[in-house]
Structure formats: C-alpha cells, structure tokens
Amino acid sequence: MPKTPSKKLFDLVKSLSPAEKRYFKVFATKKNESKNKYIALFDAIEIQKTFDDEALIKTIYGDEEIQSRKYSELKAYLFDLILKCLQAYDEKSSVVTRISNMLGNVQVLFKRGHFADCKDVLKKTKKIALKYEEFSQLYEILQCEKWLAHTTINVDFLDNQLGRIEEEEKGYLEQLNNLASYRNLFLKLYLSIKKNAANETLFQEIESSNLLKKKVFKSHRAKVLYYRVQSLLAYAKENIQEFYEFNKELILEMESQPHFLDQNASEYISALSNYCMSCKLTKHYAELDVALEKFRLIKTLNYDDELKVHRQYYQILFSMCISNGAFEKARIALKDHLQKVEKFDAKLFERKSFYFYYSYIYFGCADYEQSLVYLNEWLDLPKTVERPYYKMLARIFNLVLHYEMKNNILLESLLRSTYRFLKKENQLHEIERAFLTFIRNSLKVANKSELKDQLLQLRTSLESINDGKPARIGQFDLSAWVESKIENKPFAEVVQRRFVSTI
C-alpha cells in the first residue's frame, strides 16, 4: 500500500511570514540555488492553496519520468535548506541563537590557537547572556573560561578567578532552578485549568507554596512567571479584583525590561489581553483604552505574533464597543479589520469566533440585513465548531433579528425549531422561555397597544427572574433590547445610557 505523501515541507513553507520568504529567496540566491528545482518547488508550494503532491511533481518535472526517491530527496533538501535559512534569519532577532553562534565561534578560534580572540568573544557573549538572563548559557560560558585557562596553562587566572567562577556557577544554577520552579508551577496550574481539573485543594497547594508566599524569584523572568501564576490563580478562583491587580503588576514588570519584549512578544500579547479583560471586568475603562492602544505598538517577531495581536486587539475592541453601545465606532473598526484580515491565511485566522461580533455590531447600527448575513454564516458553521451554548445564542439572536425585520411568517417556523433545539440541548432556562413566550404572543397581537403590553409583561418577567438585574443571553443584552422597544428608541442609545449609569 503506497504511503500518504508527507506535507511537512508544505506546512513549513506555508508557515513562513512574507519577510521570511523574502529572506529565503535572497539566502538561496547567495547559495546559487536560484535557478534550480529547489526554488521551483518552493515557488510551486507557495502558490498552492491546498497540498497536492501530484500537482507539485507535475510542475517540477513535467512529463519527465522520475523515481520517487529523487523527488523525496528534492523535498528533503529544500526542507533542510529552509531550516538553515531560518537559523540565519533568527540570529538577527534571537538572543539564544546569537549566543550559541558566538560560542561556536569560540570553538572555531580555539582550534586555530587564537586564544586572545576567544577571551574577547567570551566577554562579549557573557555581557549579552547576562542582559537576557540566559542562565544555562552563562554556565556554559564559565566552562569555556575554565577550559581556556586550563589549556593555555594560565595558572594565575585560575588562582585568581576560580573562586569567583565557582560562586557564579552556583548562582546561575540557582537562578536556573528557580526559573524552572516558577515555570513548572505555572504549567501545572495552566494544565489543570485547561483540563477542567482544577479544584480548591490544588489552589490552596499552589497558593501556600513558598514560591508564591515568600516571593523567592531570583530574576526578572522568574518574577514575570510569579505574576502570571498569581493572575491565573485569581482568575481560576473568580477573584476579579486580584485578577486585575496581578495583571497590572505583570504588565508593569514586563514593560520595565523592554529588551525582553523584543525577544518574545507572545507572552506580552497574552498578558496584555488578560489585563484588558481584567480592566473591563473591574470597570477601569480609562486603563483599558490605554492598554488597547499598546497592541498597536507591539513589535511582532513572526507571523504568529502578528496574527495574535490582530485577533486580540479587535476582539477586545469589539467586545468593549458592544458593552458601551459604541456600535458606529465598532462598524468603522470592523471595516478596517476585514480589510486587514485578508492577508492572513484563512486556516490560521479563525473567523468563526468573530461572526457574533460582526452580526451584533450591525444589529446595534440597525443594519439588520447585514447583521443577518453574518449571523447566517455563524449558523452555517459545522456542528463540531460551536458548543450548544453558542448555538443557542445564535438561534435566539436569529429570532430577534427576524422580529426586527417583521418576518412574521418565518418567525413562526423559527420559533418552533428554536424551542425544539433549546429543549434538546437543555438550554431552555427561565429567561429563554420568557423570551420565546413573548415572540409567540407578539405574533398574535392586533395593535401597538397590545404589543407594548406584551413588552411590559416581558420586562416584568425578566426583572423577576433575574432579581432586578439586566437579563442577558450570552453577550446579548436582552433587557436593553426590551427597553428600546418599550421606549421606541434605538437599541444603541439604550445600551449607552445603561452603560453610563454603571460607571
């Protein structure tokens, strides 16, 4: 039975950023690879939308008969060539790669007897490693110092510096172990939450550990992990105030050493996103606005970071606009977002998580036709994509939209199918039931006066069910919508008014 063609080369090429692809073309040209089958294969893969090995073979060899091994070797060579190129590319931005290459240079110089040059390179390497807290490489640098002194029979150096080296070795190992301990604590908590296995016993165990109680972090990187653990623990325990406070401290700590952010933007993107979420939950809206703008200033290092920045920025912006009723602002931002998102790979940018935002924003602008377009795209998602809770929200919102559009005939069938779905998925709660009852009764009313009575009755029911608090179905502000119908005012105006009253 023939083997399934490997697509690892295809995936590697597709994962490259535009800058990395340009760098590869230059890199390959310098290696005299520009006019051969390797570059032709690279170009063919770059053009392909989906992996098709037979089409690639046809593009490269035409009608020429080839052995499968020959094509496999071609792909393997191109794969290795891309990796070599990426190593050279990463050297510009990766401190770890730069230090490793510098230590490699020390070995090259040592073999050729350039011992003085070895010392100069080690000194420069150590300065960089100290700045970026690369403790394992600092330990390796010390071994090079001892090895160089021993080889050159530098007794005076060993006599004067061996004690200092031993102390530094001990210190670097302690810092390395300390960093590993905080990282393991973070991963333990993170994993348990992702597996939905977190519990009070685990929380107490982590909270009472010396790593948190005594704040024994020995480096900036360890301190960052300390705040990440505290932030995650507060979120897991639903302590919103502490979640905000620890996220704020985390951002301050990360920004106090900006050169680390130039090396790894991914953690900062995640931390900034959590900080924005915490600001929204605790109503620190001015801080949220400042934090949101920081996304625009992040220096992304790769395609994945660029994708994360875009996704997080617009999700937070859209969510905030929905909460405060700034739907027109959101619509302007939405057009900008849709234009920018075209440059991302459709498989990597999961637009499904945005469909509700799109639909809700146009709903808030009273553009029900466009709102329905995006809602239908959401409803058409595969069954495996969305959980029943979100499908319930989509169906409820679908009823609201068709009610606004006065599609009464369609509403009758939608009402029946929605009722069946909610009952089947155990999502027919009191609020949903009250809303469905209103829709059913509204189809029977004869005039505006009777309709207003039904709306007033729905408002009373929602207040009773929700103890006077605004009733929501997911992110949809049902109470604000009912109020807008009773007052005959735009939904956005009511949302804005209610938001201001909560500040």
Side-chain angles (χ1 to χ4, degrees):
M1 186 174 181
K3 292 183 178 180
T4 303
S6 169
K7 62 190 292 283
K8 70 176 187 177
L9 175 61
F10 178 88
D11 291 337
L12 178 61
V13 172
K14 289 298 183 182
S15 70
L16 301 180
S17 68
E20 288 169 337
K21 290 176 182 177
R22 287 193 298 271
Y23 189 86
F24 173 76
K25 295 293 183 68
V26 175
F27 181 87
T29 301
K30 288 179 179 178
K31 291 186 172 293
N32 298 318
E33 306 285 3
S34 58
K35 295 183 179 179
N36 57 34
K37 289 183 172 63
Y38 306 118
I39 298 301
L41 179 57
F42 182 90
D43 292 338
I45 292 173
E46 192 176 6
I47 293 170
Q48 274 195 347
K49 297 293 184 184
T50 56
F51 176 63
D52 186 339
D53 211 41
E54 291 299 322
L56 292 175
I57 294 173
K58 185 73 174 175
T59 300
I60 304 305
Y61 297 102
D63 296 326
E64 176 187 347
E65 289 189 13
I66 61 160
Q67 296 179 342
S68 60
R69 188 178 72 178
K70 186 177 180 180
Y71 177 56
S72 296
E73 289 173 351
L74 175 70
K75 291 198 295 182
Y77 182 89
L78 178 56
F79 189 88
D80 290 340
L81 187 64
I82 293 173
L83 292 182
K84 289 177 182 177
C85 166
L86 292 177
Q87 286 177 18
Y89 181 85
D90 287 346
E91 186 175 0
K92 298 183 299 179
S93 58
S94 171
V95 164
V96 174
T97 303
R98 197 188 322 164
I99 294 173
S100 296
N101 289 341
M102 291 175 80
L103 288 173
N105 291 340
V106 171
Q107 293 184 11
V108 170
L109 291 167
F110 181 83
K111 286 181 180 179
R112 286 152 181 81
H114 298 284
F115 303 127
D117 292 333
C118 286
K119 291 179 182 179
D120 290 340
V121 175
L122 280 175
K123 186 177 180 180
K124 293 175 183 177
T125 308
K126 188 173 185 179
K127 184 177 180 180
I128 296 171
L130 281 169
K131 181 178 179 180
Y132 291 95
E133 299 183 347
E134 293 297 336
F135 304 119
S136 59
Q137 291 181 310
L138 281 165
Y139 185 83
E140 186 177 348
I141 289 168
L142 291 178
Q143 308 319 300
C144 289
E145 285 187 29
K146 290 192 292 186
W147 159 59
L148 186 60
H150 174 261
T151 304
T152 57
I153 319 177
N154 192 341
V155 177
D156 289 340
F157 175 85
L158 288 174
D159 187 40
N160 294 326
Q161 300 296 325
L162 188 57
R164 184 266 304 171
I165 290 175
E166 287 178 339
E167 283 300 311
E168 286 189 20
E169 281 179 335
K170 181 180 177 183
Y172 296 148
L173 289 175
E174 285 179 354
Q175 287 174 303
L176 187 62
N177 288 332
N178 179 255
L179 181 61
S181 297
Y182 276 106
R183 184 178 290 114
N184 291 338
L185 191 66
F186 171 79
L187 291 173
K188 182 179 181 180
L189 179 59
Y190 178 81
L191 179 62
S192 65
I193 291 172
K194 284 296 181 182
K195 291 172 63 178
N196 293 318
N199 52 55
E200 277 301 320
T201 303
L202 176 66
F203 296 157
Q204 289 173 6
E205 176 189 332
I206 292 175
E207 199 168 22
S208 61
S209 68
N210 286 337
L211 292 171
L212 295 193
K213 285 186 71 177
K214 296 187 177 181
K215 301 182 182 180
V216 291
F217 39 77
K218 295 181 179 294
S219 62
H220 163 75
R221 291 169 63 192
K223 192 174 182 180
V224 165
L225 281 167
Y226 163 81
Y227 282 121
R228 292 189 73 188
V229 173
Q230 291 283 30
S231 166
L232 192 59
L233 185 61
Y235 180 78
K237 294 173 64 178
E238 299 182 358
N239 189 326
I240 303 305
Q241 184 59 33
E242 284 193 357
F243 180 58
Y244 160 74
E245 290 170 358
F246 283 122
N247 272 299
K248 186 172 183 176
E249 290 294 331
L250 172 58
I251 293 298
L252 289 173
E253 179 61 29
M254 296 180 91
E255 291 177 348
S256 72
Q257 304 282 348
H259 55 282
F260 282 97
L261 304 184
D262 292 337
Q263 290 299 303
N264 183 2
S266 183
E267 285 189 3
Y268 181 66
I269 294 167
S270 176
L272 194 57
S273 178
N274 287 337
Y275 176 52
C276 287
M277 186 199 309
S278 71
C279 287
K280 184 183 177 187
L281 290 171
T282 54
K283 301 182 180 180
H284 289 84
Y285 300 122
E287 289 183 37
L288 173 57
D289 289 339
V290 173
L292 194 56
E293 283 306 305
K294 288 181 179 181
F295 277 104
R296 296 180 178 274
L297 303 176
I298 294 175
K299 180 183 176 183
T300 55
L301 303 176
N302 51 52
Y303 186 83
D304 185 57
D305 285 347
E306 190 177 352
L307 188 67
K308 285 178 181 176
V309 166
H310 182 92
R311 184 191 298 118
Q312 296 299 333
Y313 173 80
Y314 281 101
Q315 279 186 339
I316 295 165
L317 177 62
F318 292 157
S319 177
M320 194 62 220
C321 287
I322 286 170
S323 296
N324 63 21
F327 293 104
E328 286 297 338
K329 175 183 176 181
R331 176 156 61 175
I332 294 170
L334 173 55
K335 290 178 181 178
D336 183 55
H337 154 72
L338 291 175
Q339 187 177 22
K340 289 178 179 177
V341 83
E342 291 302 319
K343 70 178 179 180
F344 295 119
D345 188 320
K347 292 181 180 178
L348 296 175
F349 184 81
E350 298 180 358
R351 193 175 290 185
K352 64 178 182 284
S353 60
F354 278 85
Y355 282 140
F356 176 69
Y357 291 127
Y358 300 166
S359 184
Y360 203 167
I361 288 167
Y362 278 104
F363 175 82
C365 295
D367 187 344
Y368 304 126
E369 294 286 348
Q370 190 60 42
S371 178
L372 186 60
V373 168
Y374 286 120
L375 180 62
N376 284 334
E377 290 195 52
W378 193 21
L379 288 166
D380 288 342
L381 289 172
K383 291 182 179 180
T384 55
V385 170
E386 297 287 355
R387 289 179 288 175
Y389 173 79
Y390 294 106
K391 286 190 173 294
M392 174 273 292
L393 172 58
R395 280 163 172 75
I396 293 291
F397 199 56
N398 196 28
L399 288 174
V400 174
L401 265 176
H402 285 288
Y403 175 90
E404 291 285 6
M405 298 170 75
K406 297 181 172 53
N407 294 334
N408 290 355
I409 296 176
L410 183 58
L411 264 177
E412 291 183 14
S413 62
L414 287 175
L415 184 62
R416 289 193 294 272
S417 64
T418 301
Y419 179 84
R420 288 195 298 269
F421 176 83
L422 296 183
K423 197 165 186 180
K424 178 184 176 183
E425 299 293 340
N426 295 318
Q427 295 289 339
L428 190 59
H429 308 301
E430 287 186 274
I431 290 177
E432 288 78 13
R433 193 183 294 276
F435 171 73
L436 294 182
T437 299
F438 163 75
I439 294 294
R440 184 180 64 248
N441 292 340
S442 71
L443 296 173
K444 302 173 185 177
V445 299
N447 53 55
K448 291 183 178 180
S449 178
E450 289 183 14
L451 179 58
K452 188 168 184 178
D453 287 341
Q454 290 295 329
L455 285 164
L456 290 169
Q457 186 175 333
L458 174 58
R459 181 174 68 180
T460 301
S461 297
L462 294 177
E463 288 175 348
S464 175
I465 293 168
N466 222 37
D467 295 327
K469 299 175 184 177
R472 295 177 177 274
I473 299 178
Q475 283 187 274
F476 177 57
D477 193 337
L478 180 59
S479 290
W481 179 73
V482 172
E483 202 67 34
S484 72
K485 297 291 103 184
I486 292 172
E487 298 179 7
N488 195 27
K489 290 183 178 179
F491 174 69
E493 183 181 326
V494 175
V495 173
Q496 290 167 13
R497 185 185 70 210
R498 291 161 70 95
F499 176 80
V500 170
S501 71
T502 64
I503 297 177

